[in-house]
Amino acid sequence: MTENTRANDRKPTPDPAEDNAFFPSPYSLSQYTAPTTDFDGIATEPGAYGGGRWKVLTIASEERYLLMQNETMFSTGNHPVETLLPLHHILQAGFEVEVATLTGAPTKFEWWAFPKEDQAVIKTWDALRTKFKSPKKLGDVIKDELGDDSDYLAVFIPGGHGAMFGLRESLDVQSVLDWALAKDKLIITLCHGPAAMLAASIGRASSPFAGYSMCAFPDAADAGANVDIGYLPGHMPWLLGAALQDDGITLANGDEMTGATTRDRGTCPRCVDTLSTG
């Protein structure tokens, strides 16, 4: 392989479905994707919480294209592993999962990252495919299902760059976050999913999450390596970590992708006893 060929491998791949839109480069996919995950089982006994009414609300992104600073578009969505593997744990523990998008439009996935040989991810996709293809409208969930006696124990916001567009500007997302905080429900998110937390400060002098600690995808990667290796076709329109910190949120994982997790607050005994071990 020539040096020129290796350099071309780092060029983002054009997405033929949209003008000036791109998938990640072949080289970046070789570094960031694999046919299987490192899933090694769930922490709870399978079905331990089955047979009850309790559900988890997944707020997924319906956005495909993220406009970059150089006017290219990143062909993105929800990351399949960062969506389906957490939901695999939740389903296997016995909880029901519902899916909602802002308008009820189908969920978008970064299908180029789907681990095609991973049975846990495949099983979860098969179980939830219809809900992702025909999700609920988030406003309808708020109106009809988030009362004082709601069946939802938790809100889950998946990872993937798709979360960077739409969720942070949504008053419906703000309403769900307000409800979760008021009712002491769990909010579970990862990677770029914490972008949704920025909706909590819309129209307010400060965020109700100010002083909280979270893990999020590091800005150092999105501003540096992800551009250099062609994972992104240009620089991000804004950086997640900086925006979270501007809202008074502490980043527990700093500038590194370490696989770290953190938990801040959440005192509902029923929620904690069930979901923290899932």
Side-chain angles (χ1 to χ4, degrees), residues 106-178:
T107 300
K108 305 301 189 296
F109 278 95
E110 298 172 326
W111 206 251
W112 38 262
F114 192 90
K116 294 184 173 70
E117 298 175 17
D118 192 287
Q119 293 306 306
V121 173
I122 292 170
K123 179 178 180 179
T124 306
W125 169 246
D126 288 343
L128 296 174
R129 179 197 308 258
T130 300
K131 291 185 177 183
F132 281 117
K133 296 287 188 179
S134 300
K136 297 183 176 186
K137 182 179 179 180
L138 188 59
D140 292 340
V141 174
I142 295 168
K143 180 178 65 175
D144 300 331
E145 302 182 57
L146 294 189
D148 291 336
D149 195 32
S150 176
D151 293 341
Y152 290 107
L153 283 179
V155 177
F156 171 57
I157 304 162
H161 283 80
M164 297 283 283
F165 179 51
L167 299 185
R168 72 175 292 190
E169 298 91 4
S170 171
L171 290 174
D172 282 339
V173 172
Q174 183 183 72
S175 293
V176 173
L177 296 175
D178 287 348

Side-chain angles (χ1 to χ4, degrees), residues 21-236:
F22 296 87
F23 299 115
S25 70
Y27 175 78
S28 68
L29 291 182
S30 75
Q31 302 302 300
Y32 282 167
T33 66
T36 60
T37 70
D38 58 0
F39 172 71
D40 60 0
I42 63 172
T44 54
E45 180 181 349
Y49 302 105
R53 57 183 264 206
W54 305 119
K55 301 192 290 188
V56 173
L57 174 62
T58 299
I59 302 177
S61 174
E62 61 189 45
E63 299 295 341
R64 169 67 69 205
Y65 296 109
L66 181 63
L67 185 65
M68 313 304 278
Q69 289 185 29
N70 63 359
E71 297 188 353
T72 61
M73 288 190 288
F74 179 37
S75 186
T76 181
N78 298 275
H79 193 284
V81 175
E82 295 165 2
T83 304
L84 297 170
L85 199 53
L87 290 176
H88 178 77
H89 285 264
I90 291 169
L91 286 174
Q92 290 297 296
F95 297 103
E96 185 178 347
V97 169
E98 294 292 351
V99 179
T101 60
L102 295 185
T103 70
T107 300
K108 305 301 189 296
F109 278 95
E110 298 172 326
W111 206 251
W112 38 262
F114 192 90
K116 294 184 173 70
E117 298 175 17
D118 192 287
Q119 293 306 306
V121 173
I122 292 170
K123 179 178 180 179
T124 306
W125 169 246
D126 288 343
L128 296 174
R129 179 197 308 258
T130 300
K131 291 185 177 183
F132 281 117
K133 296 287 188 179
S134 300
K136 297 183 176 186
K137 182 179 179 180
L138 188 59
D140 292 340
V141 174
I142 295 168
K143 180 178 65 175
D144 300 331
E145 302 182 57
L146 294 189
D148 291 336
D149 195 32
S150 176
D151 293 341
Y152 290 107
L153 283 179
V155 177
F156 171 57
I157 304 162
H161 283 80
M164 297 283 283
F165 179 51
L167 299 185
R168 72 175 292 190
E169 298 91 4
S170 171
L171 290 174
D172 282 339
V173 172
Q174 183 183 72
S175 293
V176 173
L177 296 175
D178 287 348
W179 169 82
L181 288 173
K183 302 301 182 182
D184 206 12
K185 307 293 186 178
L186 292 183
I187 302 170
I188 308 161
T189 188
L190 72 164
C191 194
H192 290 85
M197 302 301 199
L198 299 169
S201 61
I202 296 172
R204 293 168 172 166
S206 63
S207 170
F209 292 107
Y212 278 67
S213 179
M214 301 179 189
C215 289
F217 191 86
D219 288 351
D222 268 345
N226 278 355
V227 178
D228 296 340
I229 66 175
Y231 186 82
L232 299 175
H235 286 283
M236 296 285 291

